[in-house]
Amino acid sequence: MEGNIAELGKYIGVGLTAIGMGGAAIGVGNVAGNYLAGALRNPSAAASQTATLFIGMAFAEALGIFSFLVALLLMFAV
Amino acid sequence: MSDQAKKSGGTGKVIFFAILALILLSIFIVPTGGEGLSFHPMDQFQIKPVFGDGPIHWYTVTNATLWMGLTVLGVVLLLIVGSSGRAIVPSKGQSIAELTYGFVYKMLEDVGGKDSVKYFPYVMTLFCFIAFSNVLGLLPASFTPTTHIAVTGVLALLVFVFVTVLGFVKNGATFLELFWVKSAPLALRPVLAIIELISYFVRPVSHSIRLAGNMMAGHAVIKVFATFAAIKLIAPVSIAAIAAMYGLEILVAFIQAYVFTILTCVYLKDALHPAH
Amino acid sequence: MATETHGATESVAGMPQLELAHFPNQIFWLLVTLVVIYFVLSKIALPRISSVLAERSGTIMNDISAAEELKLKAKDAENAYNKALAEAKAEAQRISGETQAAIQADLNTALAKADAEIAAKAAESEAAIAEIRANAADSVKVVAKDTAKELIAAFGGKADAKTVTAAINARLKG
């Protein structure tokens, strides 16, 4: 284990990549929060927009999943 | 009387969750050696032959095959056995079958438009397969086919190829207007066309990896918490965390099936009505 | 690959998802599963559920339209009742009007008859009164003649009947 620079870099890289998931978390929170804000202002229009909410959350989340995937690849496959 | 029944129901629930936690523990923390913790979060995704121990050919019956078969069984149980009564006033099983049907049908009709309804069996197949394999994968000691990129990749590619072919068959060359944003200024259109083209081809990638990644992440996190439960000091916290994650995973299992299906509907709509 | 994951790198198991050797197996069984689910759904489950849903909505529609029909019938019955009521009222009004008119006519004829009788009686009485008056005037003449004759006789004159009568007549006229 000692002196293995490649191993060290790998784990640092995994940690850094995992930070990317925080961005996705912020994004998903933004989507949900703005949806809630809009829904409270106009509750009658909220029900028709739940599909859009989930699509938006899915898109925001997908990028976080990408960074998760990169982290996994770094950790297990590289 | 009813109070007592409620109470006994409550204790029943507590016992159920305790047993569930014990099962989770017994399954997840089998290989804890004496020296330190050993994490095997990815071992649960291993593909093994069900019969014997030979090499895995394309026809070998593996645990993936077994759980896909159980998924088929679940779909048959819910949608065929459940609806076999054909009652005007539905039973419980029939209500669930009808709710599922109505849910997917309404989603497709709302998002994809009236003329996308004829692809309903295909969309329903995707939804049923993903929802059932996600939920069955939450059973302890089970295997989740949807955690594998090979599976979700094929699902997403099927949608991608189907939608692209459908777009060209229905609209001919006008399908390419999907990439030529008419509402943008003329100078920007080539740039936007490149971006749209890239985002179009990233669709199957994100479509498949979203599902596989979500399912994999949840299972791996539960497994990591289960490994921590071997340390006596933090075992209660980690068991509570497993229970919480389990609840979240049940939610995620349905939401991911919903998201996969609704994105399929969105792509279908793009194929049928390419103009923005 | 499989031996490698179970071998030296025990703590880092690797990603089974990237085991390319297992892909054909999964893809094959996935396609089998999807085809089975597709046929199960499109041949049995979906037509059955949609027929049940259609039947239910049909039943509900029928019930609603039956209720609508009954409501219409109730409304018709109410209208008929109201119409009958109005007719009955009109009939009653007509009958009472007719009766009133008949009574009025009877009354009128009775009044006319009474008036005529009264007029006849009055004329009769007038005639009687005139006769009585004439008789009275004659009586006055006779009485006046007799009285005048007697007076003249009492004064010792000889009363000429002719002159007395002429004088009395002239006196009565004047």
Side-chain angles (χ1 to χ4, degrees):
Chain A
M1 206 58 164
E2 65 262 9
N4 194 342
I5 296 288
E7 199 84 339
L8 175 73
K10 192 168 114 178
Y11 285 120
I12 291 176
V14 170
L16 286 178
T17 320
I19 295 173
M21 289 158 72
I26 294 170
V28 172
N30 235 337
V31 173
N34 280 330
Y35 171 78
L36 188 61
L40 286 176
R41 283 191 190 196
N42 187 2
S44 57
S48 61
Q49 296 305 318
T50 35
T52 326
L53 167 74
F54 278 108
I55 292 173
M57 279 173 112
F59 279 130
E61 188 192 43
L63 302 172
I65 294 291
F66 285 162
S67 75
F68 171 70
L69 189 78
V70 172
L72 279 181
L73 286 175
L74 270 179
M75 189 129 157
F76 296 119
V78 175
Chain B
M1 191 70 184
S2 67
D3 199 2
Q4 200 169 2
K6 221 182 262 173
K7 240 181 225 167
S8 72
T11 51
K13 244 180 218 170
V14 169
I15 290 168
F16 170 74
F17 279 121
I19 291 171
L20 197 70
L22 278 179
I23 291 171
L24 281 172
L25 277 180
S26 60
I27 284 156
F28 288 138
I29 326 175
V30 171
T32 39
E35 81 296 335
L37 301 168
S38 59
F39 290 92
H40 301 284
M42 308 307 272
D43 274 7
Q44 57 183 327
F45 305 126
Q46 214 94 51
I47 291 181
K48 304 177 203 98
V50 175
F51 307 110
D53 209 15
I56 294 167
H57 301 294
W58 59 270
Y59 52 82
T60 314
V61 176
T62 60
N63 49 357
T65 315
L66 174 68
W67 286 94
M68 285 182 196
L70 287 175
T71 302
V72 175
L73 193 69
V75 172
V76 168
L77 271 181
L78 173 66
L79 289 180
I80 293 188
V81 178
S83 69
S84 61
R86 296 163 177 264
I88 293 292
V89 179
S91 59
K92 274 182 200 163
Q94 198 185 333
S95 301
I96 298 173
E98 283 168 9
L99 272 178
T100 317
Y101 179 96
F103 176 70
V104 179
Y105 193 88
K106 197 170 169 299
M107 191 199 309
L108 181 61
E109 203 178 25
D110 285 353
V111 177
K114 280 256 183 259
D115 40 356
S116 65
V117 164
K118 59 172 165 256
Y119 310 108
F120 174 60
Y122 178 59
V123 177
M124 186 75 176
T125 303
L126 287 178
F127 180 80
C128 287
F129 174 74
I130 295 170
F132 268 94
S133 84
N134 285 355
V135 172
L136 288 175
L138 285 172
L139 294 174
S142 70
F143 175 86
T144 320
T146 41
T147 53
H148 277 258
I149 290 168
V151 172
T152 59
V154 169
L155 288 174
L157 272 178
L158 280 176
V159 170
F160 180 75
V161 171
F162 175 68
V163 158
T164 310
V165 170
L166 185 75
F168 277 112
V169 167
K170 286 269 169 188
N171 304 292
T174 49
F175 181 58
L176 293 173
E177 278 178 17
L178 187 63
F179 308 113
W180 197 249
V181 187
K182 284 235 173 76
S183 54
L186 192 63
L188 273 179
R189 280 184 206 171
V191 184
L192 281 178
I194 292 168
I195 294 173
E196 289 276 334
L197 204 64
I198 292 172
S199 83
Y200 188 79
F201 282 100
V202 167
R203 273 178 181 184
V205 180
S206 72
H207 206 184
S208 61
I209 286 177
R210 178 182 305 115
L211 177 56
N214 264 299
M215 298 318 295
M216 198 201 313
H219 285 78
V221 166
I222 288 181
K223 187 100 180 193
V224 168
F225 277 126
T227 316
F228 277 126
I231 306 171
K232 282 210 178 70
L233 197 64
I234 57 170
V237 180
S238 113
I239 290 171
I242 290 174
M245 279 306 294
Y246 205 88
L248 183 69
E249 280 309 296
I250 292 173
L251 189 69
V252 166
F254 284 109
I255 285 181
Q256 287 311 311
Y258 173 70
V259 163
F260 194 97
T261 318
I262 206 165
L263 284 176
T264 306
C265 296
V266 170
Y267 299 160
L268 258 178
K269 187 206 75 184
D270 277 351
L272 294 170
H273 314 283
H276 275 275
Chain C
M1 282 286 264
T3 50
E4 195 184 304
T5 51
H6 285 291
T9 54
E10 186 73 55
S11 62
V12 180
M15 278 178 82
Q17 279 90 345
L18 300 176
E19 202 89 35
L20 285 175
H22 296 163
F23 273 29
N25 175 276
Q26 293 188 57
I27 292 169
F28 169 69
W29 286 112
L30 171 69
L31 291 179
V32 169
T33 308
L34 284 184
V35 167
V36 169
I37 294 180
Y38 183 83
F39 277 102
V40 161
L41 286 185
S42 62
K43 294 288 171 230
I44 308 172
L46 300 185
R48 183 188 287 172
I49 295 175
S50 73
S51 77
V52 167
L53 288 180
E55 199 179 317
R56 180 172 312 143
S57 71
T59 310
I60 290 170
M61 280 289 196
N62 279 347
D63 286 1
I64 287 175
S65 65
E68 205 82 15
E69 218 165 84
L70 287 178
K71 206 172 155 190
L72 277 181
K73 263 186 194 163
K75 209 162 214 176
D76 279 356
E78 200 190 332
N79 281 345
Y81 166 76
N82 279 342
K83 207 173 149 196
L85 194 68
E87 263 170 17
K89 265 186 189 165
E91 182 75 12
Q93 213 136 25
R94 194 180 61 76
I95 288 171
S96 86
E98 250 170 32
T99 317
Q100 215 158 14
I103 290 169
Q104 193 70 45
D106 280 359
L107 198 65
N108 281 348
T109 49
L111 275 176
K113 211 168 159 191
D115 277 350
E117 259 166 35
I118 287 166
K121 280 254 167 82
E124 216 170 86
S125 323
E126 217 143 313
I129 287 167
E131 202 183 279
I132 289 169
R133 190 177 277 165
N135 283 352
D138 282 355
S139 300
V140 166
K141 249 184 221 170
V142 173
V143 169
K145 213 191 288 179
D146 286 350
T147 314
K149 257 184 210 169
E150 286 300 315
L151 278 173
I152 291 166
F155 284 125
K158 186 114 173 261
D160 183 9
K162 245 186 204 167
T163 357
V164 169
T165 305
I168 284 168
N169 277 353
R171 206 49 169 182
L172 280 176
K173 259 173 207 161

